[in-house]
Coordinates of all heavy atoms in Angstrom, one line a residue:
S54 N 113.3 109.0 104.9 CA 114.0 109.8 103.9 C 114.5 111.1 104.5 O 113.8 111.8 105.3 CB 113.2 110.1 102.7 OG 112.8 109.0 102.0
Y55 N 115.7 111.5 104.2 CA 116.3 112.7 104.8 C 117.4 113.2 103.9 O 117.9 112.4 103.0 CB 116.8 112.5 106.2 CG 117.9 111.5 106.3 CD1 119.3 111.9 106.3 CD2 117.7 110.2 106.4 CE1 120.3 111.0 106.3 CE2 118.7 109.2 106.5 CZ 120.0 109.7 106.5 OH 121.0 108.7 106.5
T56 N 117.9 114.4 104.1 CA 119.1 114.9 103.4 C 119.8 115.9 104.3 O 119.2 116.5 105.2 CB 118.7 115.6 102.1 OG1 119.8 116.1 101.4 CG2 117.8 116.8 102.4
S57 N 121.1 116.0 104.1 CA 121.9 117.0 104.8 C 122.0 118.3 104.0 O 122.5 119.3 104.4 CB 123.3 116.5 105.1 OG 123.9 116.2 103.8
R58 N 121.4 118.3 102.8 CA 121.4 119.5 101.9 C 120.4 120.5 102.5 O 119.4 120.2 103.1 CB 120.9 119.1 100.5 CG 121.9 118.2 99.7 CD 123.0 119.0 99.0 NE 122.4 119.8 98.0 CZ 122.2 119.5 96.7 NH1 122.6 118.2 96.3 NH2 121.7 120.3 95.8
P59 N 120.7 121.8 102.2 CA 119.8 122.9 102.8 C 118.5 123.2 102.1 O 117.7 123.9 102.6 CB 120.7 124.1 102.8 CG 121.6 123.9 101.6 CD 121.9 122.4 101.6
E60 N 118.4 122.7 100.8 CA 117.3 123.1 100.0 C 116.0 122.5 100.6 O 115.9 121.4 101.0 CB 117.4 122.6 98.5 CG 118.6 123.2 97.8 CD 119.9 122.5 97.9 OE1 120.1 121.8 98.9 OE2 120.7 122.6 97.0
R61 N 114.9 123.3 100.5 CA 113.6 122.9 101.0 C 112.5 123.1 100.0 O 111.3 122.9 100.3 CB 113.3 123.7 102.3 CG 114.3 123.5 103.4 CD 114.2 122.1 104.0 NE 115.1 122.0 105.1 CZ 116.3 121.4 105.0 NH1 116.7 121.0 103.8 NH2 117.1 121.3 106.1
T62 N 112.7 123.5 98.8 CA 111.7 123.7 97.8 C 111.1 122.4 97.2 O 111.8 121.4 97.2 CB 112.2 124.6 96.6 OG1 113.2 123.8 95.9 CG2 112.8 125.9 97.1
E63 N 109.9 122.5 96.7 CA 109.3 121.3 96.0 C 110.1 121.0 94.8 O 110.1 119.9 94.3 CB 107.8 121.5 95.7 CG 107.5 122.5 94.7 CD 107.0 123.9 95.2 OE1 107.5 124.3 96.3 OE2 106.2 124.5 94.6
S64 N 110.8 122.0 94.2 CA 111.6 121.8 93.0 C 112.8 120.8 93.3 O 113.1 119.9 92.6 CB 112.1 123.1 92.5 OG 113.0 122.9 91.4
F65 N 113.4 121.0 94.5 CA 114.5 120.1 94.9 C 113.9 118.7 95.3 O 114.5 117.7 94.9 CB 115.2 120.7 96.1 CG 116.3 119.9 96.7 CD1 117.4 119.6 96.0 CD2 116.2 119.3 98.0 CE1 118.4 118.8 96.5 CE2 117.2 118.5 98.5 CZ 118.3 118.3 97.7
Q66 N 112.8 118.7 95.9 CA 112.2 117.4 96.2 C 111.9 116.6 94.9 O 112.2 115.4 94.8 CB 110.8 117.6 97.0 CG 110.9 118.0 98.4 CD 110.9 116.8 99.4 OE1 111.1 115.7 99.0 NE2 110.6 117.1 100.6
A67 N 111.4 117.4 93.9 CA 111.1 116.8 92.6 C 112.4 116.2 92.0 O 112.3 115.1 91.4 CB 110.4 117.8 91.7
Q68 N 113.5 116.9 92.0 CA 114.7 116.4 91.5 C 115.2 115.2 92.2 O 115.7 114.3 91.5 CB 115.7 117.6 91.5 CG 115.4 118.7 90.6 CD 116.2 120.0 91.0 OE1 117.2 120.0 91.7 NE2 115.7 121.1 90.5
C69 N 115.0 115.2 93.5 CA 115.5 114.0 94.3 C 114.6 112.8 93.9 O 115.2 111.7 93.8 CB 115.4 114.3 95.8 SG 116.6 115.5 96.3
V70 N 113.3 113.0 93.8 CA 112.5 111.8 93.4 C 112.8 111.3 92.0 O 112.9 110.1 91.8 CB 111.0 112.2 93.5 CG1 110.1 111.1 93.0 CG2 110.6 112.6 94.9
M71 N 113.1 112.2 91.1 CA 113.4 111.8 89.7 C 114.8 111.0 89.8 O 114.9 110.0 89.1 CB 113.5 113.0 88.8 CG 113.8 112.6 87.3 SD 112.6 111.3 86.7 CE 111.1 112.4 86.5
R72 N 115.7 111.4 90.5 CA 117.0 110.7 90.7 C 116.7 109.3 91.2 O 117.3 108.3 90.8 CB 118.0 111.5 91.5 CG 118.6 112.7 90.9 CD 119.6 113.3 91.7 NE 120.8 112.4 91.9 CZ 121.8 112.7 92.8 NH1 121.8 113.8 93.4 NH2 122.8 111.8 92.9
L73 N 115.8 109.2 92.2 CA 115.4 108.0 92.8 C 114.9 107.0 91.7 O 115.2 105.9 91.6 CB 114.4 108.2 93.9 CG 113.7 106.9 94.5 CD1 114.7 106.1 95.3 CD2 112.5 107.3 95.3
M74 N 113.9 107.6 90.9 CA 113.3 106.7 89.9 C 114.3 106.3 88.8 O 114.3 105.1 88.4 CB 112.1 107.5 89.2 CG 111.0 107.9 90.2 SD 110.2 106.4 91.0 CE 109.2 105.8 89.6
E75 N 115.2 107.2 88.4 CA 116.2 106.9 87.5 C 117.1 105.8 88.0 O 117.6 104.9 87.3 CB 116.9 108.1 87.0 CG 116.1 109.1 86.2 CD 116.8 110.4 85.9 OE1 117.8 110.7 86.6 OE2 116.4 111.1 85.0
A76 N 117.4 105.8 89.3 CA 118.2 104.8 89.9 C 117.6 103.4 89.8 O 118.3 102.4 89.8 CB 118.5 105.2 91.4
H77 N 116.3 103.4 89.7 CA 115.6 102.2 89.6 C 115.3 101.8 88.1 O 114.5 100.9 87.8 CB 114.3 102.2 90.4 CG 114.5 102.1 91.9 ND1 114.9 100.9 92.5 CD2 114.4 103.0 92.9 CE1 115.0 101.1 93.8 NE2 114.7 102.3 94.0
G78 N 115.9 102.6 87.2 CA 115.7 102.3 85.8 C 114.4 102.8 85.2 O 114.0 102.3 84.2
V79 N 113.7 103.7 85.9 CA 112.4 104.2 85.5 C 112.6 105.5 84.8 O 113.0 106.5 85.5 CB 111.4 104.3 86.6 CG1 110.0 104.8 86.1 CG2 111.2 102.9 87.3
H80 N 112.2 105.6 83.5 CA 112.5 106.9 82.8 C 111.2 107.5 82.2 O 111.2 108.6 81.7 CB 113.5 106.7 81.7 CG 114.8 106.2 82.2 ND1 115.7 107.0 82.8 CD2 115.4 104.9 82.2 CE1 116.8 106.3 83.2 NE2 116.6 105.1 82.8
R81 N 110.1 106.8 82.4 CA 108.7 107.3 82.0 C 107.8 106.8 83.0 O 107.8 105.6 83.4 CB 108.3 106.9 80.6 CG 109.1 107.6 79.5 CD 108.5 107.3 78.1 NE 107.2 107.9 77.9 CZ 107.0 109.1 77.6 NH1 108.0 110.0 77.4 NH2 105.7 109.6 77.5
M82 N 106.8 107.7 83.5 CA 105.9 107.3 84.5 C 104.7 108.2 84.5 O 104.7 109.3 84.0 CB 106.7 107.4 85.9 CG 107.0 108.8 86.3 SD 108.4 109.0 87.4 CE 109.8 108.8 86.2
N83 N 103.6 107.6 85.1 CA 102.5 108.4 85.5 C 102.7 108.8 87.0 O 103.4 108.1 87.7 CB 101.2 107.6 85.4 CG 101.0 107.1 84.0 OD1 100.6 107.8 83.1 ND2 101.3 105.8 83.7
L84 N 102.0 109.8 87.5 CA 102.1 110.1 88.9 C 100.8 110.6 89.5 O 100.0 111.2 88.9 CB 103.3 111.1 89.2 CG 103.2 112.6 88.7 CD1 102.4 113.4 89.7 CD2 104.5 113.2 88.6
V85 N 100.7 110.3 90.8 CA 99.6 110.9 91.7 C 100.3 111.6 92.8 O 101.2 111.1 93.5 CB 98.7 109.7 92.2 CG1 97.6 110.3 93.1 CG2 98.1 108.9 91.1
G86 N 99.8 112.8 93.1 CA 100.3 113.6 94.2 C 99.2 114.1 95.0 O 98.3 114.8 94.5
I87 N 99.2 113.8 96.3 CA 98.2 114.3 97.3 C 98.8 115.5 98.1 O 99.9 115.4 98.6 CB 97.8 113.1 98.2 CG1 97.1 112.0 97.5 CG2 96.9 113.7 99.4 CD1 96.8 110.8 98.4
S88 N 98.1 116.6 98.1 CA 98.4 117.7 98.9 C 99.9 118.2 98.6 O 100.2 118.5 97.5 CB 98.2 117.5 100.4 OG 98.3 118.6 101.1
Y89 N 100.8 118.1 99.6 CA 102.2 118.5 99.4 C 102.8 117.6 98.3 O 103.6 118.1 97.5 CB 103.0 118.4 100.7 CG 104.4 118.7 100.5 CD1 104.8 120.0 100.2 CD2 105.4 117.7 100.6 CE1 106.2 120.3 100.0 CE2 106.8 118.0 100.4 CZ 107.1 119.3 100.1 OH 108.5 119.6 99.9
G90 N 102.4 116.4 98.2 CA 102.9 115.5 97.1 C 102.5 116.0 95.7 O 103.2 115.8 94.7
G91 N 101.4 116.8 95.7 CA 100.9 117.4 94.4 C 101.9 118.5 94.0 O 102.1 118.7 92.8
F92 N 102.4 119.3 95.0 CA 103.3 120.3 94.7 C 104.6 119.7 94.1 O 105.1 120.2 93.1 CB 103.7 121.0 96.0 CG 102.7 122.0 96.5 CD1 101.6 121.6 97.2 CD2 102.9 123.4 96.3 CE1 100.7 122.5 97.7 CE2 102.0 124.3 96.8 CZ 100.9 123.9 97.5
V93 N 105.0 118.6 94.7 CA 106.2 117.9 94.1 C 105.9 117.3 92.8 O 106.8 117.4 91.8 CB 106.7 116.8 95.1 CG1 107.9 116.1 94.6 CG2 107.1 117.5 96.5
G94 N 104.8 116.7 92.6 CA 104.4 116.1 91.4 C 104.3 117.1 90.3 O 104.7 116.8 89.1
Y95 N 103.7 118.2 90.6 CA 103.5 119.3 89.5 C 104.9 119.8 89.1 O 105.2 120.0 87.9 CB 102.8 120.5 90.1 CG 102.4 121.5 89.1 CD1 101.1 121.5 88.5 CD2 103.3 122.5 88.7 CE1 100.7 122.4 87.6 CE2 102.9 123.5 87.7 CZ 101.6 123.4 87.2 OH 101.3 124.4 86.2
S96 N 105.8 119.9 90.1 CA 107.2 120.3 89.7 C 107.9 119.3 88.9 O 108.6 119.6 87.9 CB 108.0 120.6 91.0 OG 109.3 121.1 90.7
M97 N 107.7 118.0 89.1 CA 108.3 117.0 88.3 C 107.7 117.1 86.9 O 108.5 116.9 85.9 CB 108.0 115.6 88.9 CG 108.7 115.3 90.2 SD 108.4 113.6 90.8 CE 109.3 112.6 89.5
A98 N 106.4 117.3 86.8 CA 105.8 117.3 85.4 C 106.3 118.5 84.7 O 106.4 118.5 83.4 CB 104.3 117.4 85.6
A99 N 106.6 119.6 85.4 CA 107.1 120.8 84.7 C 108.6 120.7 84.3 O 109.0 121.1 83.2 CB 106.9 122.0 85.6
Q100 N 109.4 120.1 85.2 CA 110.8 120.0 85.0 C 111.2 118.8 84.0 O 112.1 118.9 83.3 CB 111.5 119.7 86.3 CG 111.5 120.9 87.3 CD 112.4 120.6 88.5 OE1 113.6 120.5 88.4 NE2 111.8 120.4 89.6
F101 N 110.4 117.8 84.0 CA 110.7 116.6 83.3 C 109.5 116.1 82.4 O 109.0 115.1 82.5 CB 111.1 115.4 84.2 CG 112.1 115.8 85.3 CD1 111.7 116.0 86.6 CD2 113.4 116.0 85.0 CE1 112.6 116.4 87.6 CE2 114.4 116.3 85.9 CZ 114.0 116.5 87.2
Q102 N 109.1 117.0 81.5 CA 107.9 116.8 80.7 C 107.9 115.6 79.9 O 106.9 114.9 79.8 CB 107.7 118.0 79.8 CG 107.4 119.3 80.5 CD 106.9 120.4 79.5 OE1 106.4 120.1 78.4 NE2 107.1 121.7 79.9
E103 N 109.1 115.2 79.4 CA 109.2 114.0 78.5 C 109.1 112.7 79.3 O 108.9 111.6 78.8 CB 110.5 114.1 77.7 CG 111.8 113.8 78.4 CD 112.2 114.9 79.3 OE1 111.6 116.0 79.3 OE2 113.2 114.7 80.1
K104 N 109.3 112.8 80.7 CA 109.3 111.6 81.5 C 108.0 111.3 82.2 O 107.8 110.2 82.7 CB 110.4 111.7 82.5 CG 111.8 111.7 81.8 CD 113.0 111.8 82.8 CE 114.3 111.8 82.1 NZ 115.4 111.7 83.0
I105 N 107.2 112.4 82.3 CA 105.9 112.2 83.1 C 104.7 112.2 82.0 O 104.6 113.1 81.2 CB 105.7 113.4 84.0 CG1 106.9 113.6 85.0 CG2 104.4 113.2 84.8 CD1 107.1 112.4 85.8
E106 N 103.9 111.1 82.1 CA 102.9 110.9 81.1 C 101.5 111.5 81.5 O 101.0 112.4 80.9 CB 102.8 109.4 80.8 CG 104.1 108.9 80.2 CD 104.1 107.4 79.9 OE1 103.5 106.7 80.8 OE2 104.6 107.0 78.8
K107 N 100.9 110.9 82.6 CA 99.7 111.4 83.1 C 99.9 111.9 84.5 O 100.8 111.4 85.3 CB 98.6 110.4 83.1 CG 98.0 110.0 81.8 CD 96.9 109.0 81.9 CE 96.2 108.8 80.6 NZ 95.1 107.8 80.7
V108 N 99.1 112.9 85.0 CA 99.3 113.5 86.3 C 98.0 113.6 87.0 O 97.0 114.0 86.4 CB 99.9 115.0 86.1 CG1 100.0 115.6 87.5 CG2 101.2 115.0 85.4
V109 N 98.0 113.2 88.2 CA 96.8 113.4 89.1 C 97.2 114.2 90.3 O 98.2 113.9 91.0 CB 96.2 112.0 89.6 CG1 95.0 112.3 90.5 CG2 95.8 111.1 88.5
L110 N 96.5 115.3 90.5 CA 96.8 116.2 91.6 C 95.6 116.3 92.5 O 94.5 116.7 92.1 CB 97.1 117.6 91.1 CG 98.3 117.7 90.1 CD1 98.4 119.1 89.5 CD2 99.6 117.3 90.8
C111 N 95.7 115.9 93.8 CA 94.6 115.9 94.7 C 94.8 116.9 95.8 O 95.8 116.8 96.6 CB 94.5 114.5 95.3 SG 93.2 114.3 96.5
C112 N 93.9 117.9 95.9 CA 93.9 118.9 96.9 C 95.3 119.5 97.1 O 95.8 119.7 98.2 CB 93.4 118.3 98.2 SG 91.7 117.7 98.2
A113 N 95.9 119.8 96.0 CA 97.3 120.4 95.9 C 97.2 121.8 95.6 O 96.9 122.2 94.4 CB 98.1 119.6 95.0
G114 N 97.4 122.7 96.5 CA 97.3 124.2 96.3 C 98.4 124.8 95.5 O 99.0 125.8 95.9
V115 N 98.8 124.2 94.4 CA 99.9 124.6 93.6 C 99.8 126.1 93.2 O 100.8 126.8 93.1 CB 100.1 123.7 92.4 CG1 101.2 124.1 91.5 CG2 100.3 122.2 92.8
C116 N 98.6 126.5 92.9 CA 98.3 127.8 92.4 C 98.1 128.9 93.5 O 97.7 130.0 93.2 CB 97.2 127.8 91.4 SG 97.5 127.1 89.8

Side-chain angles (χ1 to χ4, degrees):
S54 297
Y55 63 92
T56 182
S57 58
R58 295 272 295 269
E60 293 92 333
R61 298 291 182 265
T62 64
E63 69 258 33
S64 176
F65 178 67
Q66 287 266 19
Q68 292 162 16
C69 292
V70 175
M71 184 54 74
R72 287 186 62 186
L73 170 74
M74 297 300 285
E75 290 174 342
H77 286 289
V79 181
H80 300 284
R81 289 188 67 82
M82 69 207 77
N83 303 282
L84 70 80
V85 179
I87 293 175
S88 192
Y89 178 68
F92 284 80
V93 178
Y95 190 98
S96 184
M97 290 184 71
Q100 293 186 66
F101 310 105
Q102 292 191 25
E103 73 287 352
K104 297 183 179 182
I105 307 299
E106 297 177 320
K107 286 185 176 182
V108 178
V109 180
L110 303 171
C111 179
C112 298
V115 176
C116 286

